[in-house]
Amino acid sequence: MVIDPADRVTYREFDESTRDLAAALVAGGVGPGTRVGLVMPNCTDWVRIALAVTRIGAVLVPLSTLLTGRELRAQLTVAAVTCLVTAPEFRGHRYLDDLSAELGDRIHPGVVMHPGVPALRRIWTTDELLGARPEVRCAAVVSALDDAVTPADPLTVVFTSGSSGTPKGVMHSHGGALGAVASGLRARRIGADTRLYLPMPFFWVGGFGAGILSVLLAGATLVTEPIPSPETTLALLERERVTLFRGWPDQAAALVRRAGDADLSALRVGSLDALLPPQARAARGARANLFGMTESFGPWCGFRADRDMPRSAWGSCGKPFDGMEVRITDPETGSPVPQGGTGEIQLRGPHVMQGICGRSPEEVFTRDGFYPTGDLGHVDADGFVFHHGRSDDMFKVGGATVYPSEVQAALATIDGVESAFVTRVDEAGGPRVGAAVVCRGGLTVDDVRATARTVLSSFKIPTVWLLLDSDESVPRGGTGKVDGRGLRELLTRAHHESPESAATGPHRTEGS
């Protein structure tokens, strides 16, 4: 079922080991509805603990390995986590030490009661829980709890910050989450013979849903590692004969630059194009960009990853999966826009979250049950969804609306441009369009801008430019998403340091 650099576990072994872990959890007071926080890096044991928690009806709360003590305390409180399972240390983070420093009081594994984390009652280290002897007297209880779980029961609380804003705890049921994953298996081309490598961390819905639960439902194999790097990832892809690589295009590009003579011949169409031989790659925009969010437990629309969409749909995110209703509304009034018009995407359907921790349904959903996503887009006459960025990313230049994603897509069509990252740059005279562009072949700003004039309206053409040799210097959050605020700061700093060259001439910085 799951392979990491140090371990490999079959489905039968998972069934047995998660029952034993579940017995240890039950003996420690965990039961249906108990919220169990888990903070540890990707590995087979992450999956063991997660499935042990969820099979007895407890609620898994995956926590980022990047959290500071203050952030960990906040998320434990927001999600009302009762039991915490934590790695002792990972990449310089000592989680209990960090939490203790935040609370001003020493927190130890074992029974806990502290007003700074009022719901927390028990802490296990991962080593302690994984090494616990099976509680024979709890075995019958585990079986009964396992049988009693229903699709309506809560499965998980996943924290997300989206592209900006305060992280929020998103609640999903077993039926909603598993239904969301099942609806996307065909589009992602995951079947029983799939050997999937996914670089996303398991604490993110892209790792938990698109990774763990996808292979669980399909009977496939998941290949993972705690700290991805080009060298270790290439070794895993080759050794384990990985057939499907899903992730971000820039990660695939970084692997290709270091691939050398690595044998990646097992990869199939549906993997990121950069890793495939040239004859197997799709034309730019021909394949759907699966689109989703934590609130929909991953992608809610898509198209088969191994097939081109109709030409009119190129650049789209595909069509909504079965059961998902989409409407496009005016961001200011909430009224539906005419067919083909751009506005805020609202969702309703069986895969949308149950709610958000600490918020009433009235705060989260419209009166008729739609979730306003904050994403902008339009739906064409054939039902294909086109994404135009976030409503808080949209800005106006001279009274005209600029959608960063539209500008990025246009710049990416220019020969020699590998990727583009667009945002606003605030100036005294109003926002300007800024672009950080990864180029090859010695392109200059003048070259890129000249071609941009042929594919973009004049007000959409960036006036602040930063040419990069790699995307490694583009700021990102813990899940790999581009950090919008950091990107604005990067462009603003480059413009202010060299305003003439950044705006009107060649300007290049080495990736760091």
Side-chain angles (χ1 to χ4, degrees):
M1 180 181 174
V2 183
I3 297 168
D4 69 26
D7 196 13
R8 51 203 311 121
V9 187
T10 68
Y11 277 88
R12 182 181 297 279
E13 290 167 340
F14 257 109
D15 185 38
E16 295 170 352
S17 62
T18 56
R19 283 183 179 275
D20 290 343
L21 280 171
L25 289 167
V26 168
V30 175
T34 303
R35 294 189 177 184
V36 180
L38 175 60
V39 54
M40 67 183 301
N42 283 21
C43 59
T44 58
D45 285 335
W46 199 107
V47 187
R48 281 191 178 98
I49 294 171
L51 297 188
V53 168
T54 58
R55 74 181 298 163
I56 57 174
V59 180
L60 178 69
V61 185
L63 297 167
S64 170
T65 55
L66 303 175
L67 293 179
T68 65
R70 175 171 295 184
E71 292 167 333
L72 177 57
R73 176 186 180 182
Q75 294 191 11
L76 292 173
T77 302
V78 168
V81 169
T82 303
C83 298
L84 175 64
V85 182
T86 176
E89 186 273 339
F90 180 62
R91 304 192 78 173
H93 289 269
R94 300 186 66 84
Y95 302 104
L96 292 186
D97 289 349
D98 295 343
L99 182 60
S100 297
E102 169 63 20
L103 295 173
D105 200 357
R106 187 65 194 170
I107 300 295
H108 297 281
V111 176
V112 177
M113 186 170 292
H114 194 285
V117 278
L120 191 61
R121 292 292 178 271
R122 178 70 187 259
I123 296 176
W124 282 280
T125 66
T126 50
D127 292 342
E128 178 188 4
L129 181 61
L130 292 165
R133 295 179 62 84
E135 294 280 346
V136 176
R137 62 190 175 87
C138 295
V141 175
V142 168
S143 294
L145 291 174
D146 195 340
D147 292 341
V149 177
T150 73
D153 291 336
L155 169 74
T156 186
V157 175
V158 184
F159 278 91
T160 177
S161 61
S163 57
S164 62
T166 303
K168 54 184 182 289
V170 177
M171 301 179 288
H172 283 280
S173 67
H174 282 258
L178 292 173
V181 171
S183 70
L185 288 181
R186 185 168 180 268
R188 293 198 298 271
R189 309 307 299 149
I190 297 176
D193 63 344
T194 301
R195 298 175 72 81
L196 170 68
Y197 177 87
L198 200 71
M200 287 87 163
F202 292 160
F203 59 74
W204 186 47
V205 75
F208 183 35
I212 295 170
L213 297 185
S214 288
V215 301
L216 181 64
L217 289 179
T221 299
L222 179 65
V223 180
T224 189
E225 56 184 330
I227 307 175
S229 69
E231 292 74 18
T232 60
T233 299
L234 285 167
L236 271 177
L237 296 179
E238 184 172 17
R239 186 186 78 201
E240 300 300 339
R241 303 297 292 166
V242 168
T243 63
L244 187 63
F245 182 105
R246 304 294 297 175
W248 293 283
D250 54 294
Q251 292 172 316
L255 290 177
V256 170
R257 288 194 292 267
R258 295 169 173 81
D261 58 356
D263 180 8
L264 304 181
S265 60
L267 289 173
R268 301 174 184 170
V269 175
S271 298
L272 291 175
D273 271 352
L275 295 170
L276 299 174
Q279 66 273 16
R281 298 174 190 169
R284 192 189 297 267
R287 304 283 165 81
N289 299 311
L290 291 181
F291 180 51
M293 61 190 68
T294 304
E295 293 88 340
S296 60
F297 208 76
W300 54 266
C301 66
F303 199 82
R304 282 186 55 150
D306 59 348
R307 290 187 183 178
D308 290 356
M309 297 181 290
R311 187 65 179 83
S312 62
W314 283 22
S316 79
C317 303
K319 291 185 175 183
F321 294 143
D322 289 347
M324 296 301 290
E325 299 177 66
V326 180
R327 71 181 180 193
I328 309 297
T329 63
D330 185 295
E332 296 181 0
T333 68
S335 301
V337 302
Q339 170 70 50
T342 296
E344 182 180 31
I345 299 171
Q346 296 190 351
L347 294 180
R348 183 171 68 184
H351 311 150
V352 177
M353 62 184 167
Q354 291 180 310
I356 294 174
C357 292
R359 301 189 191 179
S360 68
E362 293 77 18
E363 294 177 90
V364 177
F365 302 103
T366 65
R367 288 188 176 183
D368 52 355
F370 278 85
Y371 173 61
T373 65
D375 286 300
L376 298 168
H378 79 271
V379 181
D380 72 7
D382 297 318
F384 285 90
V385 178
F386 291 77
H387 183 233
H388 295 301
R390 295 284 301 171
S391 57
D392 48 5
D393 291 337
M394 176 187 73
F395 59 97
K396 291 183 180 291
V397 174
T401 300
V402 175
Y403 300 105
S405 63
E406 181 184 4
V407 180
Q408 288 174 184
L411 294 178
T413 65
I414 298 173
D415 287 341
V417 171
E418 292 188 354
S419 54
F421 307 88
V422 175
T423 188
R424 74 177 191 274
V425 175
D426 294 322
E427 295 285 320
R432 303 173 69 178
V433 183
V437 183
V438 180
C439 297
R440 51 181 166 77
L443 285 183
T444 67
V445 167
D446 290 335
D447 297 330
V448 179
R449 182 171 47 218
T451 308
R453 290 193 180 105
T454 68
V455 293
L456 286 168
S457 300
S458 58
F459 70 90
K460 300 175 185 176
I461 297 172
T463 57
V464 177
W465 296 89
L466 180 61
L467 298 195
L468 305 171
D469 291 320
S470 101
D471 55 21
E472 294 178 5
S473 58
V474 175
R476 298 179 184 275
T479 63
K481 292 182 181 179
V482 173
D483 178 353
R485 178 181 298 177
L487 178 62
R488 285 192 291 275
E489 292 174 351
L490 175 69
L491 284 163
T492 300
R493 185 166 58 250
H495 177 53
H496 288 166
E497 289 175 355
S498 182
E500 292 184 2
S501 62
T504 62
H507 188 83
R508 183 175 294 274
T509 182
E510 296 291 332
S512 58

